[in-house]
Amino acid sequence: MPANRKTPADPLSAYRAKRSLDRTTEPGARAVQPGSAGGLFVVHQHAARNLHFDLRLEMKGVLTSWAVPKGPSKNPADKRLAVHVEDHPIEYGDFEGMIPEGNYGAGAVIVWDRGRWVPVEDPFAGLEKGKLLFELHGYKLKGLWTLVKIKKSQKDWLLIKERDGEVSENGTDFPANSVLSGLTVEELKAGADHAGPLLAELARLKAPRREVLPTAAAPMLAETREAPFTKDGWLFELKLDGYRVRVGKEGGVAKVVSRNGHDLSPLFPEIAHVVAALPFEGLVIDGELVVLDERGHPSFNGLQNRARVSRSFDVRGAAVENPATLFCFDLLAFGGYDTRGLPLTTRKELLRQVLPAAGALRYSEHFVKDGEALYRQVERLGLEGIMAKRADSTYRAGRSPSWLKIRADRADDFVVVGYTRAKGSRAGFGALHLGAYKDGALVYVGRAGSGFTDKELKDVAQALESLRRDTPAVTGPIPKDKDTTWIEPKLVAEVRFKEWTPEALLRHPVFLRWRDDKKPEECVIPGSGEQGAVGVDARGDSALLDSDLSPSRTLVLPAPREVVFSNLKKIFWPDEGYTKGDLIEYYRAISPWLLPYLADRPVVLTRFPDGIKGKSFFQKDAPVFAPEWLRTERMWSEDTQREIDYFVCDDLDSLLYLANLGTIPLHVWGSRAASLERPDWCILDLDPKEAPFTDVVKVAKATKRLCDDIGLPAYIKTSGSTGLHVLMPMGRQVTYEQCRQLGGLLARLVAEQLPDIATITRVVGKRGGRVYLDYVQNGHGRLLVAPFSIRPLPGAPVSMPLKWSEVTPTLEIGQFTIKNAPARMKKLKSDPLLPVLEERPDLVHALGLLQERV
């Protein structure tokens, strides 16, 4: 491979940057640009003259299509013939049904799979050269795939599954059903009656015949319980962080209905399409609408962002890029029968038979009796909580003790009834006064001052100001201070807290987010027996919209940042006279370049309370006195065999707080909290020990040449101490073990090329004055000194990203310091190391070339 081969940037980042350019095609279509986030893919199963599959990829505003006679296989050994056929319009991606006799392709067609495809390389160049490498994110097909053109053929290609975590020896072990209707192509062709057996069962159960409409069926609500339990006769489900909705058909039209009856169908067409395709009438299903993040966990922020997209063009794109999923947990009606009077277990068994085996509507599994075991799993995974339901409970509108919600952490929704004036340097306001309903009265429960950045404090203050009133709307122990302003009780906030005090106040409340899908009447003190009203606005921001406020203010707001500094004049570097204040100000100045390497990543501190000549200690665990707004992530440590609360430094004030603890170097994991076992980079730590630094430079350049030859990007920084760090982006595509193996191959080849000056021998006494290529630093929990981090050495050197042109024999390892690093970065204007965080190189190809050399 040529040394100057360009590795594509992260497709998702490139897609977002070019989003506006994608609109150059026909109305309603999105073009797939080179290196973009891809677009829609569909696999149709088609019972025409011969049964076959059609793979369709959205490109240039149409569906570029291949007929795959035997269908896709997850086994890389199965090389499936794929015949390039005519393009189809984008709208054909939603087609499922019968093509009448006498027409081309007559027969039954189902949407066997659909989702998003992402080109790994330029897709148009791939079509030209005859090799198209891409990822599929579907309900059935996932991971890396390749289409390779057969030589000397005009239309014949091979569809091959690449080796990754999605391979299977039983390559065709897929659900046969449509991801829309749930029908097989044979059932669609035969016109099978799927409703008949269910209707007969409902008649046998003597369910009443009456019309139930999704827009009119009020939801059943849960009471709050503090602790999980194990008990016969109870079912336990996951409590998901989303919008409560009902789906069904009215007048033959699919409906996705929010809690207060608004139609969300135009905002979530991927859900409405499935509801419309289900071969049943009179169907009403209750469930939780979510958008899943890359971990497969519900993301409320992602759901809110989806709900704010309203233009049909943008909605279609969002439905492909960030699809919603409806977890269905109850069946309210079917075929003219009202099922709400049947026991929960019966309703759920009927529901299971209604839903497709794969697709946007998923059955919400339940666990019998042992709620405590499920709760422990939920805590470990960081999910919201569990639901406990009596197995024999009927479905009754309103709140009921037969359904209980149990949060994994203490958090609940409260009415904002006032705010305090900001003091000191804080802008906007000081704290929010909160209330909740008890026995019909709105009762004061405390104040929360955490939850906002400076900019958002100002925005929220403007919203609060518009709701001012002269007297409090709450009863109880109301604060009497002059700094309080009372407001109309129209806004709802979710708040995390430690516990309820004996005075019925919240202990240590911390603002989490605005609850746009709740009305104030729903904020009920647990155990009060209050029947809260229900409702959610169609756009997910009803509380603020009802107050004529901008919905942009309903975004999930980060925690507030207020750091009290101490001992700023204490000398930390005696020879230079640099103080703790100089340390803090350096991290403030360098933060725009440093923070990208810290964000969403476990951070480990080395603290020097009395400067570099004093005692120091290594700190992984966040101390108990750390402020609640400082983010931590609990992770299991194999070394200590216990849970550790790691710091995560996402913003400037968190960084300054850590610096104020006397932290000099910051060490980070190679992976992010959201994808802990998938590192962003592979590192070769070039450690000279007794070797001259000029040899380190030679080894670094040899590493760069090798990476260029195999098409693997390589970036470099100083360690800030004695060596250099070469980092190759992995794009979270491999595990730590795979990353370490790759690093080992690279290190071995470089050491073989330069045996006189390089070694992979770990024992210092056996290195013979050669540079050690340390690849063992690639591992779970292994640490890297963060770029721009200060080292506790004379002169206060920093770990500095470099351009490769700067890596010369004249490079001095200590030339970048606390005094000149910020000025250097302002002059450079961009960080030469930054692409290591997001690039997704073709690792399969690079490893193949590397193996040839080995």
Side-chain angles (χ1 to χ4, degrees), residues 783-812:
L783 302 174
L784 171 73
V785 62
F788 306 106
S789 185
I790 312 175
R791 305 308 298 266
L793 299 170
V798 305
S799 178
M800 177 57 68
L802 301 171
K803 296 185 292 185
W804 277 104
S805 60
E806 296 175 296
V807 184
T808 69
T810 61
L811 175 66
E812 294 183 12

Coordinates of all heavy atoms in Angstrom, one line a residue, residues 783-812:
L783 N -2.7 3.0 32.0 CA -2.8 4.4 32.0 C -1.8 5.1 31.1 O -0.7 4.6 30.9 CB -2.7 5.0 33.4 CG -3.6 4.5 34.5 CD1 -3.3 5.0 35.8 CD2 -5.1 4.8 34.1
L784 N -2.2 6.2 30.5 CA -1.4 7.1 29.7 C -1.4 8.5 30.3 O -2.5 9.0 30.6 CB -1.9 7.1 28.3 CG -1.2 8.1 27.3 CD1 0.1 7.7 26.9 CD2 -2.1 8.3 26.1
V785 N -0.2 9.1 30.4 CA -0.2 10.5 30.9 C -0.9 11.3 29.8 O -0.6 11.2 28.6 CB 1.2 11.0 31.1 CG1 2.1 11.0 29.9 CG2 1.2 12.4 31.8
A786 N -1.9 12.0 30.2 CA -2.7 12.8 29.2 C -1.9 13.8 28.4 O -1.0 14.4 29.0 CB -3.9 13.5 29.9
P787 N -2.2 14.0 27.2 CA -1.6 15.1 26.4 C -1.8 16.4 27.1 O -2.9 16.6 27.7 CB -2.3 15.0 25.1 CG -2.8 13.6 24.9 CD -3.1 13.2 26.3
F788 N -0.7 17.2 27.2 CA -0.8 18.5 27.8 C -0.7 18.4 29.3 O -0.7 19.5 30.0 CB -2.0 19.4 27.4 CG -2.1 19.5 25.9 CD1 -3.1 18.8 25.3 CD2 -1.3 20.3 25.2 CE1 -3.3 19.0 23.9 CE2 -1.4 20.5 23.8 CZ -2.4 19.8 23.2
S789 N -0.6 17.2 29.9 CA -0.4 17.1 31.3 C 1.0 17.5 31.8 O 2.0 17.3 31.1 CB -0.7 15.6 31.7 OG -0.7 15.4 33.1
I790 N 1.0 18.2 32.9 CA 2.3 18.6 33.5 C 3.0 17.4 34.2 O 2.3 16.6 34.8 CB 2.1 19.8 34.5 CG1 1.2 20.8 33.9 CG2 3.5 20.4 34.9 CD1 0.9 21.9 34.9
R791 N 4.3 17.4 34.2 CA 5.0 16.3 34.9 C 5.7 16.9 36.1 O 6.1 18.1 36.1 CB 6.1 15.7 34.0 CG 5.6 15.1 32.7 CD 4.4 14.2 32.8 NE 4.7 13.0 33.6 CZ 5.1 11.9 33.0 NH1 5.2 11.7 31.7 NH2 5.4 10.8 33.8
P792 N 5.8 16.2 37.2 CA 6.4 16.7 38.5 C 7.9 16.7 38.4 O 8.5 16.0 39.2 CB 5.8 15.8 39.5 CG 5.6 14.5 38.8 CD 5.2 14.8 37.4
L793 N 8.5 17.4 37.5 CA 9.9 17.4 37.2 C 10.4 18.9 37.2 O 9.6 19.8 37.0 CB 10.2 16.7 35.9 CG 9.9 15.2 35.8 CD1 10.0 14.8 34.4 CD2 10.7 14.4 36.7
P794 N 11.7 19.1 37.5 CA 12.2 20.5 37.4 C 11.9 21.1 36.0 O 12.0 20.4 35.0 CB 13.7 20.2 37.5 CG 13.8 19.0 38.4 CD 12.7 18.1 37.9
G795 N 11.5 22.3 36.0 CA 11.2 23.0 34.8 C 9.7 22.9 34.4 O 9.2 23.6 33.5
A796 N 9.0 22.0 35.1 CA 7.5 21.8 34.8 C 7.3 21.5 33.4 O 6.5 22.2 32.7 CB 6.7 23.0 35.3
P797 N 7.9 20.4 32.8 CA 7.6 20.1 31.4 C 6.2 19.5 31.3 O 5.6 19.0 32.2 CB 8.7 19.0 31.1 CG 9.0 18.4 32.5 CD 8.8 19.5 33.5
V798 N 5.7 19.5 30.0 CA 4.4 19.0 29.8 C 4.5 17.9 28.7 O 5.4 18.0 27.8 CB 3.4 20.1 29.4 CG1 3.3 21.1 30.5 CG2 3.7 20.7 28.0
S799 N 3.5 17.0 28.6 CA 3.4 16.1 27.5 C 2.8 16.8 26.3 O 1.6 17.1 26.4 CB 2.6 14.9 28.0 OG 2.4 13.9 26.9
M800 N 3.6 16.9 25.3 CA 3.2 17.8 24.2 C 3.0 17.0 22.9 O 3.9 16.4 22.4 CB 4.3 18.9 24.0 CG 4.0 19.8 22.8 SD 2.4 20.7 22.9 CE 2.7 21.8 24.3
P801 N 1.8 17.2 22.2 CA 1.6 16.6 20.9 C 2.5 17.3 19.9 O 2.8 18.5 20.0 CB 0.1 17.0 20.6 CG -0.5 17.1 21.9 CD 0.5 17.7 22.8
L802 N 3.0 16.5 18.9 CA 4.0 17.0 18.0 C 3.5 16.8 16.6 O 2.8 15.8 16.3 CB 5.3 16.3 18.2 CG 6.0 16.4 19.5 CD1 7.2 15.5 19.6 CD2 6.5 17.8 19.8
K803 N 4.0 17.6 15.7 CA 3.9 17.3 14.2 C 5.1 16.4 13.9 O 6.2 16.6 14.5 CB 3.9 18.6 13.4 CG 2.8 19.5 13.6 CD 2.8 20.7 12.7 CE 3.9 21.6 13.0 NZ 3.8 22.9 12.2
W804 N 4.9 15.5 13.0 CA 6.0 14.6 12.7 C 7.2 15.3 12.1 O 8.4 14.9 12.3 CB 5.6 13.5 11.7 CG 4.9 12.4 12.3 CD1 3.5 12.1 12.4 CD2 5.5 11.3 13.1 NE1 3.3 11.0 13.1 CE2 4.4 10.5 13.6 CE3 6.8 11.0 13.5 CZ2 4.7 9.4 14.4 CZ3 7.0 9.9 14.3 CH2 6.0 9.1 14.7
S805 N 7.0 16.5 11.5 CA 8.2 17.3 11.0 C 9.0 17.8 12.2 O 10.2 18.2 12.0 CB 7.7 18.5 10.2 OG 6.8 19.3 11.0
E806 N 8.5 17.8 13.4 CA 9.2 18.3 14.6 C 10.1 17.2 15.2 O 10.9 17.5 16.1 CB 8.3 18.9 15.6 CG 7.5 20.1 15.2 CD 6.5 20.5 16.2 OE1 5.5 19.8 16.5 OE2 6.6 21.6 16.8
V807 N 9.8 16.0 14.8 CA 10.5 14.8 15.4 C 11.9 14.7 14.7 O 12.0 13.9 13.7 CB 9.7 13.5 15.3 CG1 10.4 12.4 16.0 CG2 8.3 13.8 15.9
T808 N 12.9 15.4 15.2 CA 14.2 15.4 14.6 C 15.2 15.2 15.7 O 14.9 15.3 16.9 CB 14.5 16.8 13.9 OG1 14.6 17.8 14.9 CG2 13.4 17.1 12.9
P809 N 16.5 14.9 15.3 CA 17.5 14.8 16.4 C 17.7 16.0 17.3 O 18.3 15.9 18.4 CB 18.8 14.5 15.5 CG 18.3 13.9 14.3 CD 17.0 14.6 14.0
T810 N 17.3 17.2 16.8 CA 17.4 18.4 17.6 C 16.3 18.6 18.6 O 16.3 19.5 19.4 CB 17.6 19.6 16.7 OG1 16.3 19.7 16.0 CG2 18.8 19.5 15.8
L811 N 15.3 17.7 18.6 CA 14.1 17.8 19.5 C 14.6 17.6 20.9 O 15.4 16.7 21.2 CB 13.1 16.8 19.1 CG 11.9 16.7 20.1 CD1 11.0 17.9 20.0 CD2 11.0 15.4 19.8
E812 N 14.2 18.5 21.8 CA 14.5 18.4 23.2 C 13.3 18.1 24.0 O 12.2 18.8 23.9 CB 15.1 19.8 23.7 CG 16.5 20.1 23.1 CD 17.0 21.4 23.7 OE1 16.5 21.9 24.7 OE2 18.0 21.9 23.1

